[in-house]
């Protein structure tokens, strides 16, 4: 049932293939299919309508370049509009300060702590020497989780399960790792209705003074992604985004909506629970998945 | 038909309700009801209404809204289960009530177990917890902390041990000590991961739980349908807990999951503390959605 949308879209696209010119009715039909695909992928409803309006206008107004069929041209437009939102290539973590401080934030259970393990391994492979500070005083065994995640990695870790003051932990951790290349700070999960915790995050940010705040977004989240991301961005300036749990069947459209709202680039995706299930963000693959179209790349290459 | 017939009778046509149905469908989608489910609901409302006679044209919108409320109430209004009754019944038969918690990663299974244990303690029962997530880093320590905080016995093995064996031991412990309830924590897993889904089936085969509770995150979008149906197919879900309802989610996931599994939503998780659990009231959710 769910896979059908992608198929519908492909079907409409095939129908288009035979058409010499793009007429309004056909464009409307294609745009409707694209809307459905995007909504099913959890893209914010308002963003879907905004996007589809632009796509419709462009498809009707612009002249496809020579040798390109209308169908291929519409795909190109859709792709361009989505790339406009997420960027055309993955941005790196640019380590331009010492220590370079990365603070992780996000909703409860989104995957912050696991992702810190993954990013640490990733940065080590690039030759850096990161250290980690645990400031999660809420979740039982948060420190122990980090310790076990990183025990095979030879990475310095600061935390104290007895200390229930997150700000104090942050202060001491930052002090301890002054000489490291990179310091990664784990924080407790929180959401936009927990004002105390958002205040705590703001204070943490003031102490850590992060070079980059990474917002971790669960790939399975729906329409709430936008509001939640806005609240995080208000409390601290979000610098980049990681989308987790893309090894399931969710499409990550919620995360896309967050990106469009706060403008921070998606840098990585999580594709499993293990340390190596971690990839640099690939816009093309992400957009193919969002639209439920198997191989957008070959189509684009033709166009 | 007399000259006043327009006052007394009007037949609802598709055209009359198209706009309002579109509007309602959009609001369902914005509340995170999965598109597949939203469409089914809207279609059933349409079928219900088209051809019906009404008195005044101005009634159409209200009529439609009521029909939608009814459709949603039907999905959420599945007969609920009385956990206390189940525990008493199990005890009379000399067996503990065995409840297993399942779901994808990070939805709140472990926290929910601590809350449900607290609920049972408050009702005068003595639960025991099985630390059968032997996979995730820190999982055993996390649930051990919870168990210690609320004063519940925990049965655990080493990290990496067979989860079915842990659950089995917890049941044996409950039998030996006359405890009424066994709460089994399991590792989070993606519904697409065949090996892990098989491992979960094995735990079920070994312990034969009386109740399998699916723990879903209320912030989930369209994937809720796929997640819930795969877990239900694999082990057969008997009840649902929806967590993180305090995060301002509109609750559409409740409808998606309820629709797919067709089992009652037992509790809502509304925070991170042990008392942050509420019995689910369908009316409350219907009002939230329409
Ligand atoms: N399948 C899958 N699971 C993931 C991924 N990333 C994280 N997880 C799992 O998601 C669950 C939650 O991850 P955590 O790292 O504890 O999340 P968190 O954001 O630190 O949680 P809190 O600290 O409680 O807010 C765990 O079961 C992780 O193993 C991923 O990319 N894929
Ligand atoms: N705000 C809020 N947070 C919750 C709720 N339920 C759980 N959490 C938080 O969500 C995070 C993950 O909860 P866990 O209980 O570890 O989730 P889990 O499903 O056991 O995770 P895995 O075992 O890794 O799959 C923790 O930070 C919890 O405190 C809830 O109802 N409201
Ligand atoms: Mg964490
Ligand atoms: Mg757990």
């Amino acid at each position: 049932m769910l896979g059908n949308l992608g198929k519908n879209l492909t079907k409409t696209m095939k129908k288009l293939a035979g058409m010499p010119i793009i007429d309004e009715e056909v464009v409307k039909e294609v745009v409707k299919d694209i809307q459905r695909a995007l909504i099913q992928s959890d893209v914010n409803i308002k963003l879907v309508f905004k996007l589809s309006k632009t796509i419709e206008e462009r498809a009707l107004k612009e002249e496809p370049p020579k040798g390109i069929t209308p169908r291929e041209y519409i795909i190109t437009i859709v792709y361009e509009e989505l790339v406009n939102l997420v960027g055309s290539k993955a941005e790196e973590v640019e380590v331009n300060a010492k220590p370079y401080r990365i603070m992780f934030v996000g909703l409860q259970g989104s995957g912050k702590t696991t992702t810190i393990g993954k990013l640490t391994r990733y940065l080590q492979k690039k030759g850096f020497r990161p250290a980690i500070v645990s400031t999660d005083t809420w979740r039982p065994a948060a420190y122990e989780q980090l310790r076990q995640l990183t025990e095979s990695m030879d990475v310095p870790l600061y935390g104290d399960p007895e200390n229930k003051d997150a700000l104090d932990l942050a202060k001491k951790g930052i002090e301890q790792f002054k000489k490291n290349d990179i310091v990664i700070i784990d924080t407790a999960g929180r959401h936009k209705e927990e004002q105390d915790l958002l205040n705590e995050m703001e204070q943490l940010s003031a102490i850590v003074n992060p070079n980059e705040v990474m917002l971790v977004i669960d790939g399975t989240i729906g329409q709430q992604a936008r509001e939640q991301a806005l609240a995080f961005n208000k409390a601290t300036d979000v610098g980049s985004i990681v989308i987790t749990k893309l090894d399931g069947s969710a499409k990550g459209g919620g995360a896309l909506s967050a990106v469009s709202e706060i403008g921070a680039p998606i840098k990585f995706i999580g594709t499993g629970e293990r340390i190596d299930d971690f990839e640099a963000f690939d816009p093309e693959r992400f957009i193919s998945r969002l639209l439920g179209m198997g191989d957008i790349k070959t189509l684009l290459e033709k166009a | 038909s007399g000259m006043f017939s327009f006052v007394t009778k009007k037949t609802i046509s598709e055209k009359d309700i198209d706009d309002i149905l579109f509007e309602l469908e959009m609001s369902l989608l914005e509340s995170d009801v999965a598109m597949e489910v939203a469409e089914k609901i809207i279609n059933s409302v349409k079928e219900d209404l088209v051809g019906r006679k009404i008195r005044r044209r101005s009634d159409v919108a209200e009529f439609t809204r009521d029909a939608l409320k009814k459709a949603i109430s039907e999905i959420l209004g599945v007969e609920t289960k009385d956990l206390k009754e189940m525990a008493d019944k199990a005890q009379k038969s000399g067996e503990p009530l065995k409840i297993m918690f399942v779901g994808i990663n990070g939805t709140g299974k472990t926290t929910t177990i601590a809350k449900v244990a607290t609920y049972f303690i408050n009702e005068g029962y003595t639960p025991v917890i099985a630390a059968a997530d032997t996979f995730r880093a820190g999982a055993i320590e996390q649930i051990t902390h919870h168990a210690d905080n609320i004063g519940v016995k925990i049965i655990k093995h080493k990290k990496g041990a067979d989860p079915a064996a842990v659950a089995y031991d917890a049941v044996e412990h409950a039998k030996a000590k006359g405890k009424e309830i066994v709460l089994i924590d399991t590792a989070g897993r993606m519904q697409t991961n065949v090996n892990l889904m098989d491992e979960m089936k094995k735990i079920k085969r070994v312990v034969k739980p009386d109740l399998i509770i699916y723990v879903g995150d209320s912030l989930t979008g369209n994937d809720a349908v796929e997640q819930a149906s795969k877990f239900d197919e694999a082990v057969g879900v008997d009840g649902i807990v929806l967590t993180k309802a305090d995060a301002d989610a509109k609750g559409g996931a409740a409808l998606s999951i309820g629709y797919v599994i067709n089992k009652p939503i037992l509790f809502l998780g509304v925070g991170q503390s042990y008392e942050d659990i509420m019995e689910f009231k369908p009316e409350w959710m219907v009002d939230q959605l329409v």
Side-chain angles (χ1 to χ4, degrees), chain A residues 196-220:
Chain A
D196 289 355
L197 288 179
L198 289 179
N199 292 345
E200 183 200 78
M201 187 174 95
E202 227 175 303
Q203 291 170 305
L204 271 173
S205 186
I207 290 167
V208 169
N209 192 15
N211 301 90
E212 182 166 346
V213 174
M214 269 197 188
L215 173 64
V216 177
I217 300 183
D218 186 323
T220 71

PDB file of all heavy atoms in Angstrom, chain A residues 196-220:
ATOM      1  N   ASP A 196      11.888  24.595  31.379  1.00  0.00           N
ATOM      2  CA  ASP A 196      13.044  24.505  32.278  1.00  0.00           C
ATOM      3  C   ASP A 196      14.248  23.901  31.574  1.00  0.00           C
ATOM      4  O   ASP A 196      15.378  24.367  31.715  1.00  0.00           O
ATOM      5  CB  ASP A 196      12.725  23.607  33.486  1.00  0.00           C
ATOM      6  CG  ASP A 196      11.740  24.273  34.420  1.00  0.00           C
ATOM      7  OD1 ASP A 196      11.398  25.454  34.166  1.00  0.00           O
ATOM      8  OD2 ASP A 196      11.309  23.614  35.394  1.00  0.00           O
ATOM      9  N   LEU A 197      13.959  22.851  30.822  1.00  0.00           N
ATOM     10  CA  LEU A 197      15.055  22.170  30.131  1.00  0.00           C
ATOM     11  C   LEU A 197      15.602  23.026  28.984  1.00  0.00           C
ATOM     12  O   LEU A 197      16.796  22.996  28.694  1.00  0.00           O
ATOM     13  CB  LEU A 197      14.583  20.811  29.612  1.00  0.00           C
ATOM     14  CG  LEU A 197      14.361  19.743  30.688  1.00  0.00           C
ATOM     15  CD1 LEU A 197      13.864  18.433  30.075  1.00  0.00           C
ATOM     16  CD2 LEU A 197      15.654  19.478  31.454  1.00  0.00           C
ATOM     17  N   LEU A 198      14.722  23.777  28.349  1.00  0.00           N
ATOM     18  CA  LEU A 198      15.217  24.672  27.290  1.00  0.00           C
ATOM     19  C   LEU A 198      16.088  25.775  27.903  1.00  0.00           C
ATOM     20  O   LEU A 198      17.123  26.142  27.334  1.00  0.00           O
ATOM     21  CB  LEU A 198      14.051  25.274  26.511  1.00  0.00           C
ATOM     22  CG  LEU A 198      13.297  24.299  25.602  1.00  0.00           C
ATOM     23  CD1 LEU A 198      12.138  25.003  24.884  1.00  0.00           C
ATOM     24  CD2 LEU A 198      14.209  23.642  24.575  1.00  0.00           C
ATOM     25  N   ASN A 199      15.680  26.257  29.066  1.00  0.00           N
ATOM     26  CA  ASN A 199      16.518  27.247  29.753  1.00  0.00           C
ATOM     27  C   ASN A 199      17.874  26.651  30.110  1.00  0.00           C
ATOM     28  O   ASN A 199      18.912  27.285  29.954  1.00  0.00           O
ATOM     29  CB  ASN A 199      15.839  27.735  31.044  1.00  0.00           C
ATOM     30  CG  ASN A 199      14.592  28.546  30.744  1.00  0.00           C
ATOM     31  OD1 ASN A 199      14.386  28.980  29.603  1.00  0.00           O
ATOM     32  ND2 ASN A 199      13.750  28.733  31.747  1.00  0.00           N
ATOM     33  N   GLU A 200      17.826  25.406  30.597  1.00  0.00           N
ATOM     34  CA  GLU A 200      19.085  24.725  30.941  1.00  0.00           C
ATOM     35  C   GLU A 200      19.992  24.643  29.711  1.00  0.00           C
ATOM     36  O   GLU A 200      21.203  24.853  29.789  1.00  0.00           O
ATOM     37  CB  GLU A 200      18.799  23.319  31.482  1.00  0.00           C
ATOM     38  CG  GLU A 200      20.060  22.585  31.937  1.00  0.00           C
ATOM     39  CD  GLU A 200      19.882  21.081  32.019  1.00  0.00           C
ATOM     40  OE1 GLU A 200      19.904  20.422  30.952  1.00  0.00           O
ATOM     41  OE2 GLU A 200      19.738  20.567  33.129  1.00  0.00           O
ATOM     42  N   MET A 201      19.370  24.347  28.564  1.00  0.00           N
ATOM     43  CA  MET A 201      20.157  24.229  27.332  1.00  0.00           C
ATOM     44  C   MET A 201      20.802  25.561  26.967  1.00  0.00           C
ATOM     45  O   MET A 201      21.960  25.617  26.543  1.00  0.00           O
ATOM     46  CB  MET A 201      19.253  23.737  26.205  1.00  0.00           C
ATOM     47  CG  MET A 201      19.971  23.423  24.929  1.00  0.00           C
ATOM     48  SD  MET A 201      18.844  22.682  23.747  1.00  0.00           S
ATOM     49  CE  MET A 201      18.367  24.115  22.846  1.00  0.00           C
ATOM     50  N   GLU A 202      20.054  26.637  27.159  1.00  0.00           N
ATOM     51  CA  GLU A 202      20.584  27.955  26.871  1.00  0.00           C
ATOM     52  C   GLU A 202      21.792  28.253  27.768  1.00  0.00           C
ATOM     53  O   GLU A 202      22.814  28.762  27.312  1.00  0.00           O
ATOM     54  CB  GLU A 202      19.470  28.984  27.130  1.00  0.00           C
ATOM     55  CG  GLU A 202      19.322  29.985  26.011  1.00  0.00           C
ATOM     56  CD  GLU A 202      18.137  30.911  26.245  1.00  0.00           C
ATOM     57  OE1 GLU A 202      17.007  30.396  26.390  1.00  0.00           O
ATOM     58  OE2 GLU A 202      18.361  32.134  26.293  1.00  0.00           O
ATOM     59  N   GLN A 203      21.652  27.875  29.047  1.00  0.00           N
ATOM     60  CA  GLN A 203      22.758  28.114  29.990  1.00  0.00           C
ATOM     61  C   GLN A 203      23.954  27.233  29.664  1.00  0.00           C
ATOM     62  O   GLN A 203      25.108  27.665  29.748  1.00  0.00           O
ATOM     63  CB  GLN A 203      22.282  27.854  31.417  1.00  0.00           C
ATOM     64  CG  GLN A 203      21.289  28.894  31.896  1.00  0.00           C
ATOM     65  CD  GLN A 203      20.652  28.474  33.213  1.00  0.00           C
ATOM     66  OE1 GLN A 203      20.086  27.376  33.326  1.00  0.00           O
ATOM     67  NE2 GLN A 203      20.747  29.326  34.216  1.00  0.00           N
ATOM     68  N   LEU A 204      23.665  25.998  29.269  1.00  0.00           N
ATOM     69  CA  LEU A 204      24.745  25.092  28.864  1.00  0.00           C
ATOM     70  C   LEU A 204      25.513  25.711  27.704  1.00  0.00           C
ATOM     71  O   LEU A 204      26.744  25.710  27.663  1.00  0.00           O
ATOM     72  CB  LEU A 204      24.172  23.748  28.400  1.00  0.00           C
ATOM     73  CG  LEU A 204      23.964  22.676  29.451  1.00  0.00           C
ATOM     74  CD1 LEU A 204      23.239  21.482  28.840  1.00  0.00           C
ATOM     75  CD2 LEU A 204      25.310  22.226  30.021  1.00  0.00           C
ATOM     76  N   SER A 205      24.748  26.237  26.766  1.00  0.00           N
ATOM     77  CA  SER A 205      25.348  26.831  25.588  1.00  0.00           C
ATOM     78  C   SER A 205      26.248  28.013  25.961  1.00  0.00           C
ATOM     79  O   SER A 205      27.317  28.199  25.379  1.00  0.00           O
ATOM     80  CB  SER A 205      24.239  27.267  24.638  1.00  0.00           C
ATOM     81  OG  SER A 205      24.778  27.728  23.443  1.00  0.00           O
ATOM     82  N   ALA A 206      25.817  28.778  26.941  1.00  0.00           N
ATOM     83  CA  ALA A 206      26.617  29.923  27.382  1.00  0.00           C
ATOM     84  C   ALA A 206      27.944  29.458  27.984  1.00  0.00           C
ATOM     85  O   ALA A 206      28.979  30.092  27.800  1.00  0.00           O
ATOM     86  CB  ALA A 206      25.831  30.745  28.394  1.00  0.00           C
ATOM     87  N   ILE A 207      27.927  28.323  28.673  1.00  0.00           N
ATOM     88  CA  ILE A 207      29.145  27.805  29.292  1.00  0.00           C
ATOM     89  C   ILE A 207      30.059  27.141  28.263  1.00  0.00           C
ATOM     90  O   ILE A 207      31.256  27.369  28.210  1.00  0.00           O
ATOM     91  CB  ILE A 207      28.790  26.795  30.403  1.00  0.00           C
ATOM     92  CG1 ILE A 207      28.168  27.546  31.591  1.00  0.00           C
ATOM     93  CG2 ILE A 207      30.026  26.008  30.852  1.00  0.00           C
ATOM     94  CD1 ILE A 207      27.513  26.633  32.592  1.00  0.00           C
ATOM     95  N   VAL A 208      29.446  26.333  27.423  1.00  0.00           N
ATOM     96  CA  VAL A 208      30.230  25.570  26.443  1.00  0.00           C
ATOM     97  C   VAL A 208      30.745  26.479  25.327  1.00  0.00           C
ATOM     98  O   VAL A 208      31.816  26.279  24.780  1.00  0.00           O
ATOM     99  CB  VAL A 208      29.354  24.428  25.840  1.00  0.00           C
ATOM    100  CG1 VAL A 208      30.036  23.786  24.650  1.00  0.00           C
ATOM    101  CG2 VAL A 208      29.035  23.388  26.906  1.00  0.00           C
ATOM    102  N   ASN A 209      29.943  27.495  25.001  1.00  0.00           N
ATOM    103  CA  ASN A 209      30.264  28.374  23.887  1.00  0.00           C
ATOM    104  C   ASN A 209      30.601  27.560  22.622  1.00  0.00           C
ATOM    105  O   ASN A 209      31.711  27.624  22.102  1.00  0.00           O
ATOM    106  CB  ASN A 209      31.436  29.276  24.278  1.00  0.00           C
ATOM    107  CG  ASN A 209      31.627  30.401  23.285  1.00  0.00           C
ATOM    108  OD1 ASN A 209      30.745  30.677  22.473  1.00  0.00           O
ATOM    109  ND2 ASN A 209      32.788  31.029  23.326  1.00  0.00           N
ATOM    110  N   PRO A 210      29.664  26.780  22.152  1.00  0.00           N
ATOM    111  CA  PRO A 210      29.955  25.810  21.082  1.00  0.00           C
ATOM    112  C   PRO A 210      30.288  26.468  19.746  1.00  0.00           C
ATOM    113  O   PRO A 210      29.740  27.510  19.414  1.00  0.00           O
ATOM    114  CB  PRO A 210      28.638  25.026  20.960  1.00  0.00           C
ATOM    115  CG  PRO A 210      27.585  25.919  21.518  1.00  0.00           C
ATOM    116  CD  PRO A 210      28.244  26.755  22.557  1.00  0.00           C
ATOM    117  N   ASN A 211      31.207  25.850  19.013  1.00  0.00           N
ATOM    118  CA  ASN A 211      31.476  26.274  17.646  1.00  0.00           C
ATOM    119  C   ASN A 211      30.409  25.744  16.710  1.00  0.00           C
ATOM    120  O   ASN A 211      30.184  26.264  15.629  1.00  0.00           O
ATOM    121  CB  ASN A 211      32.841  25.746  17.189  1.00  0.00           C
ATOM    122  CG  ASN A 211      33.954  26.227  18.082  1.00  0.00           C
ATOM    123  OD1 ASN A 211      34.300  25.578  19.071  1.00  0.00           O
ATOM    124  ND2 ASN A 211      34.494  27.392  17.754  1.00  0.00           N
ATOM    125  N   GLU A 212      29.784  24.652  17.135  1.00  0.00           N
ATOM    126  CA  GLU A 212      28.746  24.057  16.300  1.00  0.00           C
ATOM    127  C   GLU A 212      27.748  23.342  17.201  1.00  0.00           C
ATOM    128  O   GLU A 212      28.119  22.513  18.022  1.00  0.00           O
ATOM    129  CB  GLU A 212      29.400  23.062  15.321  1.00  0.00           C
ATOM    130  CG  GLU A 212      28.439  22.407  14.370  1.00  0.00           C
ATOM    131  CD  GLU A 212      29.162  21.695  13.209  1.00  0.00           C
ATOM    132  OE1 GLU A 212      30.386  21.932  13.001  1.00  0.00           O
ATOM    133  OE2 GLU A 212      28.503  20.903  12.525  1.00  0.00           O
ATOM    134  N   VAL A 213      26.471  23.693  17.047  1.00  0.00           N
ATOM    135  CA  VAL A 213      25.419  22.953  17.748  1.00  0.00           C
ATOM    136  C   VAL A 213      24.799  21.993  16.737  1.00  0.00           C
ATOM    137  O   VAL A 213      24.331  22.419  15.683  1.00  0.00           O
ATOM    138  CB  VAL A 213      24.338  23.903  18.317  1.00  0.00           C
ATOM    139  CG1 VAL A 213      23.183  23.106  18.916  1.00  0.00           C
ATOM    140  CG2 VAL A 213      24.941  24.834  19.365  1.00  0.00           C
ATOM    141  N   MET A 214      24.875  20.703  17.039  1.00  0.00           N
ATOM    142  CA  MET A 214      24.292  19.696  16.136  1.00  0.00           C
ATOM    143  C   MET A 214      22.934  19.276  16.674  1.00  0.00           C
ATOM    144  O   MET A 214      22.829  18.792  17.793  1.00  0.00           O
ATOM    145  CB  MET A 214      25.188  18.460  16.053  1.00  0.00           C
ATOM    146  CG  MET A 214      26.201  18.530  14.945  1.00  0.00           C
ATOM    147  SD  MET A 214      26.881  16.882  14.564  1.00  0.00           S
ATOM    148  CE  MET A 214      28.175  17.397  13.433  1.00  0.00           C
ATOM    149  N   LEU A 215      21.917  19.465  15.841  1.00  0.00           N
ATOM    150  CA  LEU A 215      20.570  19.039  16.214  1.00  0.00           C
ATOM    151  C   LEU A 215      20.325  17.653  15.615  1.00  0.00           C
ATOM    152  O   LEU A 215      20.454  17.463  14.401  1.00  0.00           O
ATOM    153  CB  LEU A 215      19.536  20.043  15.681  1.00  0.00           C
ATOM    154  CG  LEU A 215      18.060  19.666  15.834  1.00  0.00           C
ATOM    155  CD1 LEU A 215      17.666  19.567  17.311  1.00  0.00           C
ATOM    156  CD2 LEU A 215      17.168  20.694  15.122  1.00  0.00           C
ATOM    157  N   VAL A 216      20.005  16.700  16.492  1.00  0.00           N
ATOM    158  CA  VAL A 216      19.750  15.338  16.025  1.00  0.00           C
ATOM    159  C   VAL A 216      18.239  15.159  15.850  1.00  0.00           C
ATOM    160  O   VAL A 216      17.470  15.372  16.784  1.00  0.00           O
ATOM    161  CB  VAL A 216      20.300  14.301  17.025  1.00  0.00           C
ATOM    162  CG1 VAL A 216      19.958  12.885  16.576  1.00  0.00           C
ATOM    163  CG2 VAL A 216      21.806  14.470  17.164  1.00  0.00           C
ATOM    164  N   ILE A 217      17.832  14.792  14.638  1.00  0.00           N
ATOM    165  CA  ILE A 217      16.406  14.638  14.347  1.00  0.00           C
ATOM    166  C   ILE A 217      16.107  13.193  13.961  1.00  0.00           C
ATOM    167  O   ILE A 217      16.756  12.611  13.089  1.00  0.00           O
ATOM    168  CB  ILE A 217      15.975  15.580  13.203  1.00  0.00           C
ATOM    169  CG1 ILE A 217      16.242  17.034  13.601  1.00  0.00           C
ATOM    170  CG2 ILE A 217      14.493  15.386  12.877  1.00  0.00           C
ATOM    171  CD1 ILE A 217      15.792  18.045  12.577  1.00  0.00           C
ATOM    172  N   ASP A 218      15.123  12.642  14.635  1.00  0.00           N
ATOM    173  CA  ASP A 218      14.682  11.274  14.362  1.00  0.00           C
ATOM    174  C   ASP A 218      14.037  11.230  12.969  1.00  0.00           C
ATOM    175  O   ASP A 218      13.110  11.998  12.690  1.00  0.00           O
ATOM    176  CB  ASP A 218      13.658  10.905  15.460  1.00  0.00           C
ATOM    177  CG  ASP A 218      13.207   9.465  15.391  1.00  0.00           C
ATOM    178  OD1 ASP A 218      13.059   8.926  14.281  1.00  0.00           O
ATOM    179  OD2 ASP A 218      12.987   8.874  16.468  1.00  0.00           O
ATOM    180  N   GLY A 219      14.524  10.349  12.125  1.00  0.00           N
ATOM    181  CA  GLY A 219      14.012  10.258  10.756  1.00  0.00           C
ATOM    182  C   GLY A 219      12.549   9.853  10.674  1.00  0.00           C
ATOM    183  O   GLY A 219      11.912  10.020   9.631  1.00  0.00           O
ATOM    184  N   THR A 220      12.004   9.343  11.770  1.00  0.00           N
ATOM    185  CA  THR A 220      10.610   8.878  11.719  1.00  0.00           C
ATOM    186  C   THR A 220       9.624   9.950  12.209  1.00  0.00           C
ATOM    187  O   THR A 220       8.426   9.725  12.244  1.00  0.00           O
ATOM    188  CB  THR A 220      10.411   7.611  12.584  1.00  0.00           C
ATOM    189  OG1 THR A 220      10.501   7.956  13.968  1.00  0.00           O
ATOM    190  CG2 THR A 220      11.446   6.550  12.278  1.00  0.00           C
TER     191      THR A 220
END
